[in-house]
Structures are given as C-alpha cells and as structure tokens.
Amino acid sequence: MASVPSLAVSGGATAAATSFPAADARRPPPSSVAVVDKSNSNGRSIQAAHNGGGEEAALRPLDVEEAMGMLREGKTVRSAMYVPLLHRCVEAGSLGDARAVHGHMVKTGTSTDMFVATYLVNAYMRCGASRDARSMFDGMPEKNVVTWTALITGYTLNLQPAAAMEVFVEMLEAGRYPSHFTLGGTLNACSASDNVGLGKQVHGYTIKYGAESITSIGNSLCRLYAKSGSLESAMRTFRRVPDKNVITWTTMISACAEDENYVELGLTLFLDMLMDGVMPNEFTLTSVMSLCGTRLDLNLGKQVQALCFKIGCETNLPVKNSTMYLYLRKGETEEAMRLVDEMEDASIITWNAMISGYAQIMETAKDDLHARSRGFQALKIFRNLKRSSMKPDLFTFSSILSVCSAMMALEQGEQIHAQTIKTGFLSDVVVNSALVNMYNKCGCIEDATKAFVEMSTRTLVTWTSMISGYSQHGRPQEAIQLFEDMRFAGVKPNEITFVSVLSACSYAGLVEEAERYFNMMKEEYKIEPIVDHYGCMIDMFVRLGRLDDAFSFIKRTGFEPNEAIWSSLVAGCRSHGNMEFAFYAADRLLELKPKGVETYVLLLNMYISSGRWHDVARVRKLMKQEDLGILRDRSWITIKDKVYFFRANDKTHERSDDLYQLLENLLEKAKIIGYEPYQNAELSDSEDDEKPAAGSLKNHSERLAVALGLLQTPPGATIRVTKNITMCRDCHSSIKFFSLLANREIVVRDSKRLHKFKDGQCSCGDFSALL
C-alpha cells in the first residue's frame, strides 16, 4: 500500500464510530421511537396518546416490527428517531430489519440526513453487510469524520482490514482530518493485517499531532507492535502512555504470555499494574495464569487464583481453563480434574487445554513410564470428547497427533487421520503438519511422504519435518533433494532445517555438501551455528573415520562441545580403534560432570574393556557424587490396542517362557550367519553397582518386546517398539539379524533416534548404537 498523505488530527471530533455518543444536542434523545401523525396539526405524539397522557407521558419503546407497522400506516418520524430502530437491528443482528428501515428512510427522504445515514453505515457493518455499508457510504452527499470512521472500523470488524486501510488512505486523499478514533481504528486494521509499515506511518502522525498520549491510541500501538513480534517497540510505546488503563496493561501482559522469553517481564508488569492501583480483569488474569503455567510456578498461580476469587471472576471460563492448565502442567491432575468437573460451561478450549496439558506433562515427566501414562490419559480424554456433544477442532487434532507421535501410537494416529478427513480438518496446514510428523515418528516414511505430497499449503515446519523424516529413515539423498526443493519454492530455512539437512549429509558422508550448507547457513541466511550444527559436522567426520578432521574442526571453529558431542567422539573414536583420542575425549567429557546415566555407561564400557580400573573407580565415584541413580531399561509395544511393558530380564508376561525360548533360538541362528555377542558393562535395575558385571545381557527390554511382537502379530506385519534409553550395541546387532531371520520390518525408537531394521540393515547406518 502506498504511503499515506499528510494529515492533521481534528480537535473537534467527539464521537466514536462504534457508539456515536456525540449526536446533535438539538435532536431528541433516541431512547424511544416517537411517531407523528401527519394530519395532527399540533404534532402530538401518537405513542404518547396511546400511553394515555400528554407530551410528558412516559414513552413506551417500540420494537422494529411494531414501529414499521405504524410507519406503513402513513405515520412519519423525525430523522433522529430512526436511530433507536437501527440500534435494535444491530442488537438483534437483523440485516433484514435494517434494510427495511433503510427502505423507509429512502421513501421519506431521510436517507440524505448525514447523522442517520452514518448510523445506517454503522448498522450495516455491525450486521455483517459491508457491501451495503459501502454502497450507503458512497451515496451520501455529505460525510463527516464519524462516517469515515464507521466505515474503517466496520471493515476491521468484518475481517477486511485491507479495505479499512484503503478507506483511511482514501479519506486523507479527500482532504479530511481523522480523529483519534479514526487513527485507533486504522491501527487496529494494521494489526489485523500485520501491516506494520502503514502502522508505523500512522504512529508517526500521532506523534506529530500529539495524539500518542491518548490512552486508546497507545493501546492500539502496543497491540500493533506486540502482534508483529516487536515487543521492544511495544514496551517503548507502553511507557509513553501517561494514563494506562486495564486494557493498556493487559495488552502488554498478554503479549509477554505469548513469548516464553518474556515471562518474567510479564509477571513484573502485572505486579506494577497492581501497585499502580489498576484492577485486573478476567483477560488480564487469564494471561497471568498462562505466564505462571509457562514458568511452572504453582505457588504464584494459587495466589492469582485467590485474586480471581477476590474480584469475582473465578467462574470466568478462560480463567478456569488457564488455571486448570497450570495444575496439569505441574502434575496436579486431581485438582485439575476437580476444576473441570465444576465447569458447567466447559468449551472445546477446555478439552483442548486438558489434552495439551497432558501432552506437556509427557515432555517433562520424571520417567518414561510416567510420561506414557499421561499420554494414555490424553487419548482417553480425546475419546471422551468424541462421545460428548462437542466436536474436535484443528487444535484438538494437532495436539492429540503430537501425543500419538510421542508414544509411537500408530494405530490411534491412523484412526485420528481418518477423523480429520471426515471432519474436513485435514485441509488445515497445522493438522496436516502434525500428521506428517506423526507418521515420521512412527517409522512410516511412505505414509508421511503421501501426506506431505497431498498438502495444498506447506509451512516451514512441514518442510523441515519431512526433511528430518528422510534423514531419520536413512534416506539422505531424498532429504537433500527436498531441502533444495524447499529453497526453490522460496521458503527460507531456519536453524532447525539446517540441522536436518546437515544430519542427512552426515549419514551419507557427503563432506563437500555438508561444508557448503554449513557456510550457506552462515553467509547466505545469516544464521549463527548452534551446538547441533557443530554436532552434525563432527558426527560426519567420525562416521568416516576422519578423527583428525573432527578434532581440527573443533579447534578451527572454536566452539565448546557439550556432553552429547564429547560422548559421540568417545564412542566414535573407540569404534574406530583410536583409544588415544577416545581417552582424551573422555577426560573432556568428565570435566563437564555429565548428567546423563547413559554417558557414564558409555565410559564404564570403554574403561572396563580396556582394563583401566582406576578410571572405572573414578567414574563410579563421580556417579555417586552426582546422585544419578541407576539406568532403568524400559520398552513398550502395542498389539491390537493393548500396550505391553517390559523391563530387562522381565518374566512377568504370561508367555515369558515362549519369549525366552524364541530369543534363544533366534540368537543361535544369528550366530551361524555372523552375529557376535558384544560385552557391555551393565547398569541394570540392581542397586548394587560396586561390581560391574561383564558380558552381554541377552534379555534387554527391547529384545523381549520384539520377541512378543514376533509371537503375537501376523507374519509380515511391522513390529514397533519404544525404548526409554539408547539401544546397546549388542541389542542393535542382534535385532538386525532378527529382521533378516524373521523377514520382518522392526522399528525401535530409542531416546536418541529411530531405528528401522529391515533385511539385516538399520536405517541409522550402525552409527547410533555405540554404547
């Protein structure tokens, strides 16, 4: 849109387009409709006569139908008396009645009256008839600032902000001066259309003509900048508003609630608001409760909840939803469900908050068993929602698909896919992106590709998810090609996209391509590398056995490797037989005092196999100091909607004898065709860690889960197992042989990545299982 012409702010504007408080004082107040008989020479009100009194008698308000009936009988009205009729049309949302009143105005010639015509423009807009409003506006011989403002705010109300901004420019080009109501309405249109450029121009005019200090203008500016993601500009504007009201404070607090980087600022603003004596409303408290949820601060949340009771908005549904969500995020599920049970007016937002809350608990759960139980609870809530009178929306489907992704619950995900098709939500880009991600996480790359190809619109998230999926499934060339297709389509990659494409290069050993993309990221897209980008490059050199290049890369770039990268170097150097580099990387790793139990298992395996008992003792001492506990081995498999749970050496299953016998047979056959058991230092569920056990623990949890899948699923069916920690070398090697011997595709998703075993090969290229 072109730059707006110069303007001046009218000091005499007294009415907003939405409420019209500045009606001509000479006109009778529009509290009722006074109908005058043309034949009555003294102008006595027929309505007053019907009431049985004189001019002083109380007037009974007429509804639209009654008033129009009297008008059709030949009565007439003074022009201002059309206003309450139009007001009732707006209240009832009756476009037909508004058009009937308009017709009578044309018949009596009143439609040329600027005051009533302006109100009719507003009424049409409020009834959703923007075309009628524009037609009425264009036919007016005379227009004032309120008329222009009514059209601008009406277009914004009807989700046509671009048209509102065009009217604003048209107004300026006509030489008319906007009031601060006009400027506020235009700024709201700029916010709705994300047109920050025009918004900044309007902001400049408000400063030039001294309107920035008006509270409503300041509120609109804060909303504009906050919505555009420029919270710093919003804060500068906020500080310049001298008389901040509850809307001003709430606008800024809500903006902070939408960006987790500004949680503390949002809470500080809330305290400042209270100190300033401004009473929060339900919108403020909903945002503050969301801030407490992001911060996971239940104590503060309870104080806010008490304030809700104090000011009487504890029954407000958004407040109750955000409170319930906080309790869920903190794991207080009983209290959260109590709040839900007390809701008589629970909405789809309530259901979505419950599902999303349980999904969030899965991410922060203390252990995988706890996480999965919450995932099942989310699926149960979704099932209950379908049985209720309410219908899932796009947020419901995207949230529950993310739960299916985390649980590798393919059967449930496929059922939800069918429901999105039935309800029409599959066309939504957010739902479709969640569907692509779900199929990728469940090991179904073909289904993910199909869903991706069928999308009419793709976002950066969708492209990145698909590139990552190809990389995870051991299809690096397809990942790289898709990355190039994305760039050709004009989609700008972000840092996560580059992690995916660098990972694909690492898998394929494409050093030149990886270095080109690494430099492209920095030079063309101005993205500063993060530790994940460095990790992909180092993994690539380690895969290729170019250990010198890996350490040279660290020295050349000057970054500090984290626990994951040093662990990768330890495992890679050990795998390639360079123990000098492995011990060096191990020393750097121990300097970080790692927090992951698996890291210590990696180090113990290396030191025990090398007979470095002094280092074994050092690692065990550090483990005790860090109070890391023990490594718990857990796996899950779903068969016919029933979930089976296994520990290492588990014998609780009713068919455990069959499972162990099947494993023995498979291992014996595997040895004949090349399988060699690998010795690990086991840290199982035993609390006795003084004496490290050497030797392969045959019955790790994923082996038992795979064995059950082989026993209880039809021949040829894919077996899908979820494991809470990284697969050990021995299990990884043995399951490769199982896939070949049983002629099955076996998918195991561990804590690091997805392993797709088929025909004796794994999609990870054998690099991920180095413990």
Side-chain angles (χ1 to χ4, degrees):
M1 183 177 293
S3 298
V4 297
S6 178
L7 60 92
V9 179
S10 171
T14 57
T18 54
S19 56
F20 296 88
D24 193 331
R26 295 170 297 176
R27 301 181 187 274
S31 58
S32 62
V33 181
V35 185
V36 181
D37 192 332
K38 291 178 182 179
S39 63
N40 192 339
S41 59
N42 62 11
R44 225 174 141 243
S45 170
I46 290 180
Q47 177 66 62
H50 285 180
N51 288 341
E55 290 289 334
E56 295 79 11
L59 297 180
R60 175 177 63 83
L62 302 176
D63 61 28
V64 175
E65 184 177 350
E66 186 178 3
M68 292 302 296
M70 296 177 70
L71 293 174
R72 283 192 291 269
E73 292 175 4
K75 309 299 186 296
T76 187
V77 296
R78 285 171 288 183
S79 59
M81 295 302 101
Y82 282 106
V83 172
L85 282 176
L86 290 171
H87 181 68
R88 291 194 178 97
C89 293
V90 172
E91 286 183 332
S94 176
L95 178 59
D97 286 344
R99 285 172 172 163
V101 174
H102 183 191
H104 194 273
M105 288 169 58
V106 173
K107 182 178 179 181
T108 59
T110 315
S111 60
T112 59
D113 184 292
M114 184 177 65
F115 172 76
V116 181
T118 297
Y119 208 100
L120 183 57
V121 170
N122 179 64
Y124 274 140
M125 281 296 190
R126 295 279 169 171
C127 291
S130 56
R131 288 186 179 179
D132 293 88
R134 180 72 207 212
S135 177
M136 183 69 196
F137 177 87
D138 290 339
M140 292 174 64
E142 186 181 358
K143 308 174 184 72
N144 63 9
V145 65
V146 180
T147 317
W148 287 94
T149 305
L151 198 63
I152 291 170
T153 56
Y155 273 128
T156 305
L157 180 69
N158 284 284
L159 306 179
Q160 297 173 277
M165 291 183 289
E166 289 173 2
V167 172
F168 176 68
V169 174
E170 184 182 336
M171 175 186 180
L172 301 181
E173 291 174 343
R176 306 309 297 265
Y177 297 122
S179 70
H180 68 275
F181 294 107
T182 320
L183 293 172
T186 305
L187 287 169
N188 290 337
C190 293
S191 296
S193 63
D194 295 323
N195 192 331
V196 185
L198 181 63
K200 287 180 177 179
Q201 294 183 58
V202 177
H203 186 186
Y205 292 132
T206 65
I207 296 173
K208 183 177 180 180
Y209 295 105
E212 189 189 30
S213 61
I214 298 173
T215 302
S216 60
I217 293 291
N219 294 347
S220 296
L221 285 168
C222 288
R223 189 180 304 111
L224 169 71
Y225 289 124
K227 189 172 183 294
S228 69
S230 180
L231 208 56
E232 293 80 5
S233 298
M235 277 301 299
R236 285 195 294 269
T237 304
F238 171 81
R239 294 189 182 101
R240 288 196 289 263
V241 179
D243 299 316
K244 300 176 180 66
N245 59 17
V246 65
I247 297 174
T248 321
W249 290 98
T250 301
T251 299
M252 290 309 304
I253 293 170
S254 300
C256 292
E258 293 175 2
D259 189 333
E260 62 182 16
N261 296 317
Y262 292 94
V263 171
E264 297 304 322
L265 175 61
L267 293 173
T268 300
L269 286 173
F270 178 60
L271 294 177
D272 291 344
M273 174 185 180
L274 297 179
M275 294 294 291
D276 207 38
V278 179
M279 183 62 67
N281 59 21
E282 62 269 23
F283 302 105
T284 322
L285 293 171
T286 300
S287 295
V288 173
M289 198 65 80
S290 296
L291 288 167
C292 295
T294 304
R295 194 188 191 193
L296 294 179
D297 193 333
L298 186 58
N299 290 331
L300 182 58
K302 288 181 177 179
Q303 295 179 52
V304 176
Q305 189 179 16
L307 182 58
C308 294
F309 279 94
K310 182 177 180 180
I311 67 176
C313 71
E314 76 282 356
T315 59
N316 178 269
L317 185 57
V319 172
K320 288 159 68 176
N321 286 339
S322 57
T323 305
M324 180 270 293
Y325 187 71
L326 169 62
Y327 277 109
L328 271 182
R329 288 289 308 276
K330 287 296 292 181
E332 300 285 341
T333 54
E334 292 185 4
E335 180 64 19
M337 291 301 102
R338 184 187 66 79
L339 290 172
V340 173
D341 292 339
E342 291 176 355
M343 294 182 188
E344 297 179 358
D345 53 350
S347 66
I348 187 60
I349 296 175
T350 309
W351 289 93
N352 289 346
M354 285 192 288
I355 294 172
S356 178
Y358 277 112
Q360 291 288 334
I361 293 176
M362 291 182 69
E363 296 180 4
T364 58
K366 59 185 179 181
D367 56 58
D368 202 62
L369 183 61
H370 187 255
R372 292 188 71 85
S373 68
R374 298 313 181 197
F376 286 122
Q377 188 64 32
L379 290 170
K380 181 180 178 181
I381 291 171
F382 179 72
R383 185 177 65 247
N384 292 339
L385 167 61
K386 290 193 298 177
R387 294 172 179 173
S388 72
S389 59
M390 295 186 186
K391 302 298 180 184
D393 62 10
L394 64 94
F395 300 104
T396 321
F397 284 120
S398 60
S399 293
I400 199 64
L401 282 170
S402 71
V403 171
C404 294
S405 298
M407 298 178 65
M408 208 162 77
L410 178 62
E411 292 182 15
Q412 291 85 348
E414 289 175 330
Q415 294 171 17
I416 294 166
H417 184 183
Q419 292 167 38
T420 63
I421 297 173
K422 183 178 180 181
T423 56
F425 282 109
L426 184 61
S427 60
D428 180 82
V429 65
V430 176
V431 174
N432 220 324
S433 296
L435 189 66
V436 170
N437 186 58
M438 185 274 294
Y439 279 125
N440 275 330
K441 291 292 182 65
C442 291
C444 301
I445 189 65
E446 290 79 10
D447 291 318
T449 302
K450 185 174 183 293
F452 177 82
V453 169
E454 291 176 352
M455 293 180 70
S456 57
T457 304
R458 302 182 183 100
T459 64
L460 173 60
V461 174
T462 316
W463 285 97
T464 301
S465 177
M466 198 65 234
I467 293 168
S468 176
Y470 280 132
S471 179
Q472 286 277 314
H473 284 78
R475 298 187 179 186
Q477 296 296 345
E478 291 170 84
I480 294 168
Q481 182 58 54
L482 190 62
F483 177 76
E484 293 297 340
D485 291 344
M486 182 191 78
R487 294 180 65 224
F488 183 76
V491 180
K492 183 179 178 181
N494 63 10
E495 61 183 28
I496 301 174
T497 319
F498 275 104
V499 170
S500 298
V501 75
L502 288 174
S503 177
C505 293
S506 170
Y507 180 94
L510 303 174
V511 177
E512 291 183 4
E513 287 81 355
E515 291 177 338
R516 180 169 66 87
Y517 287 132
F518 190 83
N519 293 329
M520 176 193 296
M521 175 182 66
K522 294 188 297 180
E523 297 169 6
E524 183 175 341
Y525 293 101
K526 310 302 179 186
I527 298 174
E528 286 299 316
I530 58 175
V531 67
D532 290 338
H533 300 127
Y534 292 115
C536 289
M537 298 297 290
I538 291 170
D539 280 349
M540 176 183 63
F541 289 125
V542 173
R543 276 179 182 270
L544 297 172
R546 294 169 55 172
L547 304 179
D548 288 326
D549 289 334
F551 283 95
S552 295
F553 180 81
I554 294 173
K555 185 176 181 179
R556 182 174 72 253
T557 55
F559 88 102
E560 292 294 331
N562 61 4
E563 178 180 335
I565 292 178
W566 282 124
S567 296
S568 174
L569 283 166
V570 170
C573 293
R574 182 186 175 203
S575 176
H576 290 292
N578 192 327
M579 301 309 296
E580 180 182 355
F581 277 175
F583 294 142
Y584 171 80
D587 288 339
R588 302 292 79 75
L589 180 58
L590 288 171
E591 287 175 0
L592 298 178
K593 293 185 178 180
K595 303 301 180 183
V597 181
E598 290 182 77
T599 302
Y600 290 97
V601 175
L602 169 68
L603 294 173
L604 285 174
N605 276 327
M606 181 180 69
Y607 288 136
I608 290 171
S609 62
S610 302
R612 295 171 65 111
W613 302 110
H614 174 74
D615 287 321
V616 171
R618 179 165 62 111
V619 171
R620 290 191 174 279
K621 181 180 179 181
L622 187 57
M623 290 179 69
K624 286 187 176 181
Q625 290 175 351
E626 296 297 320
D627 192 25
L628 296 175
I630 56 180
L631 187 65
R632 300 188 184 277
D633 175 20
R634 305 285 186 268
S635 292
W636 291 263
I637 183 171
T638 302
I639 302 174
K640 294 182 179 179
D641 287 331
K642 186 174 181 180
V643 179
Y644 299 89
F645 163 77
F646 290 96
R647 298 181 176 89
N649 291 324
D650 200 330
K651 294 188 177 181
T652 58
H653 192 275
E654 60 183 9
R655 298 191 64 182
S656 61
D657 290 342
D658 295 334
L659 297 180
Y660 280 84
Q661 185 60 53
L662 175 60
L663 285 175
E664 286 294 334
N665 293 338
L666 287 172
L667 289 170
E668 288 301 320
K669 292 179 181 178
K671 289 177 183 177
I672 297 173
I673 57 175
Y675 163 65
E676 294 181 2
Y678 182 83
Q679 292 189 345
N680 297 302
E682 297 297 347
L683 290 185
S684 62
D685 290 351
S686 172
E687 298 290 348
D688 180 14
D689 60 359
E690 293 301 321
K691 296 180 180 180
S696 172
L697 182 61
K698 295 178 183 178
N699 301 311
H700 279 170
S701 63
E702 68 269 42
R703 279 185 178 170
L704 293 167
V706 168
L708 182 65
L710 292 173
L711 280 176
Q712 295 191 186
T713 58
T718 299
I719 297 170
R720 290 181 171 82
V721 173
T722 308
K723 184 176 173 66
N724 68 324
I725 59 175
T726 308
M727 294 182 72
C728 73
R729 280 188 176 188
D730 191 52
C731 286
H732 188 273
S733 176
S734 61
I735 293 177
K736 281 202 306 180
F737 284 98
F738 293 173
S739 70
L740 180 63
L741 291 168
N743 193 25
R744 295 283 198 106
E745 184 176 87
I746 302 173
V747 178
V748 179
R749 201 174 81 197
D750 66 16
S751 60
K752 288 187 177 180
R753 69 172 299 147
L754 181 140
H755 303 267
K756 195 168 185 178
F757 300 94
K758 187 175 182 181
D759 299 327
Q761 302 295 323
C762 179
S763 60
C764 79
D766 296 345
F767 183 71
S768 297
L770 295 173
L771 288 181

